[in-house]
Structures are given as structure tokens and as C-alpha cells.
Amino acid sequence: MNEENIIYVITIWALPVLLAITLHEAAHGWVAKYLGDHTARLQGRLSLNPLRHVDLVGTVILPIVLLVIGGFMFGWAKPVPVDPRNFRKPREHMAIVALAGPMSNFIMAVCWMGLMALAKQGLANTWIGYPLSLMAQAGVTINLILMVLNLLPLPPLDGGRIMVGMLKPALALKYARIEPYGFWILLALIFTGVLGRVMWPVMSFLESLLRSLFGV
């Protein structure tokens, strides 16, 4: 990929990626605050300012490298601090906080699909229609990736925390012990292609569903 194409791809993807990761993390903090934990608020992590959530490697360097080489889109932000001891029902409420991130990505995917419909229909013959449709497609893609990926029942992903909240205490404790190895398990799933085979059918179904709803 030449330099002009790299700049073009980054221009299209930068805003969707930043919004997807920033709002995902902020959603955790907002729901935690609602349920009684103000840790994220006290540390200034309820902000929509991407700089509050950006991780240099996970949010900037890795996504750019993967976009350039055409690999599996993957990244992360600084985790929002949550203290379950402040919840009335720690395990259950922690699961709800975990679910907030992926659900925020689904809402954003719906919004980006609505923008795509506008770009391809109402703005089809304007100068902004085509680039806006590409950005909207990027927004749909990155948000569906983050939603489906984070719902995998693997600690420390959100799905793993949801699973811990749903299991009986004794079993949940054993399940949570996977967390120190979760990142390495995830990398193994990515590089062996297993993760893609699991995620893409789900993502394709969800995108097809959204396209049919918006008539795109």
C-alpha cells in the first residue's frame, strides 16, 4: 500500500475507531456510576475526550499497522476503573457494567448504518456522499467487531465478566482464574484463524440485518 492510500485509509477509519473505543469505555463508567461506583468519574474517565481513554499501542499503533497490512482489526483502550465493592450486588452489577460496552458498540453500529443510508440515498449525488458512505461502513465494521469480540466468554473480555456474573459463586471463582491467560488465548485464536471463523458469521448476520432494516 503506497503512502497516499495509507493516508486515505487512516482518514476514513480514524474517527470511527476513536469513537468506537472511546464510547465503549465511557459506557462502562457511566453504567458503573449509575449503579453506585464513582471510581471512573473521580478519575476523569467519564469524559468523551478520546485522550482520556487512548492507549498508544492498542488504540493508535496496532490498529494503524493492521489497517496497512490488511490483518484482523484489533485494538483496545485504557480500561475504565471499576470497583465492584461499591455495588449493592457486586457480581451481578459488574456483569451489567461489562455488558454496557458491547451494547454501546451495537448502538453505534446502528447509527453508522443510518448514516450510510443517508450517504447512499439522500447524499448520493453530492461530493460528500461517497467518502461518508466509506466512513459509515468503517463505523459499522469496527463496532460490530468490538461488540462480537468483547462478548466472547473469555476473561478479561466483557463476555468473560458477564459469564462470571451469571455463574454460581464457586464456579465463577474458578472461571475468573482464566483471566491472566486470557490475552494469550485470544492471540492464539487470532493467529490460528479460529477467532475469525467464529466471529465473521455472526458479524455478517448482524450487518445483513441492519442493512435490511435501513434498506441499504
Side-chain angles (χ1 to χ4, degrees):
M1 186 180 292
N2 60 42
E3 185 176 338
E4 290 184 0
N5 287 337
I6 292 173
I7 294 172
Y8 182 70
V9 168
I10 292 174
T11 301
I12 293 297
W13 281 82
L15 180 61
V17 169
L18 281 176
L19 282 177
I21 293 177
T22 297
L23 291 178
H24 177 108
E25 293 301 330
H28 289 312
W30 290 332
V31 173
K33 177 177 176 290
Y34 176 78
L35 293 174
D37 176 45
H38 294 260
T39 306
R41 179 184 64 82
L42 293 174
Q43 295 188 19
R45 295 297 305 279
L46 298 186
S47 172
L48 293 180
N49 180 357
L51 296 179
R52 297 277 187 172
H53 307 283
V54 163
D55 178 276
L56 180 60
V57 175
T59 315
V60 181
I61 296 175
L62 183 60
I64 289 176
V65 170
L66 292 177
L67 277 174
V68 171
I69 66 176
F72 183 88
M73 176 54 67
F74 180 63
W76 61 85
K78 295 177 184 176
V80 164
V82 178
D83 189 347
R85 294 173 297 180
N86 294 320
F87 296 141
R88 187 167 54 87
K89 298 179 179 180
R91 290 197 313 117
E92 293 86 344
H93 288 174
M94 191 65 198
I96 294 172
V97 169
L99 182 61
M103 289 303 97
S104 73
N105 290 125
F106 181 72
I107 292 170
M108 281 186 278
V110 172
C111 292
W112 280 113
M113 188 62 77
L115 191 60
M116 187 189 301
L118 175 64
K120 290 191 172 184
Q121 297 166 11
L123 301 174
N125 297 319
T126 67
W127 66 272
I128 198 173
Y130 180 64
L132 187 61
S133 69
L134 292 179
M135 182 176 288
Q137 178 62 65
V140 171
T141 301
I142 187 60
N143 278 288
L144 289 181
I145 287 175
L146 288 178
M147 184 190 75
V148 176
L149 175 65
N150 277 284
L151 285 176
L152 293 174
L154 176 66
L157 297 177
D158 294 327
R161 301 193 189 282
I162 294 169
M163 184 66 72
V164 168
M166 294 172 60
L167 295 172
K168 292 182 178 180
L171 187 56
L173 182 61
K174 293 179 180 179
Y175 196 80
R177 290 174 181 162
I178 300 173
E179 183 162 341
Y181 314 101
F183 181 73
W184 301 108
I185 294 172
L186 184 61
L187 287 180
L189 293 175
I190 291 173
F191 289 115
T192 58
V194 172
L195 187 65
R197 290 195 293 273
V198 171
M199 288 181 57
W200 291 127
V202 179
M203 290 175 52
S204 297
F205 170 77
L206 291 173
E207 182 169 344
S208 296
L209 179 61
L210 291 179
R211 283 182 177 275
S212 65
L213 289 174
F214 284 91
V216 178

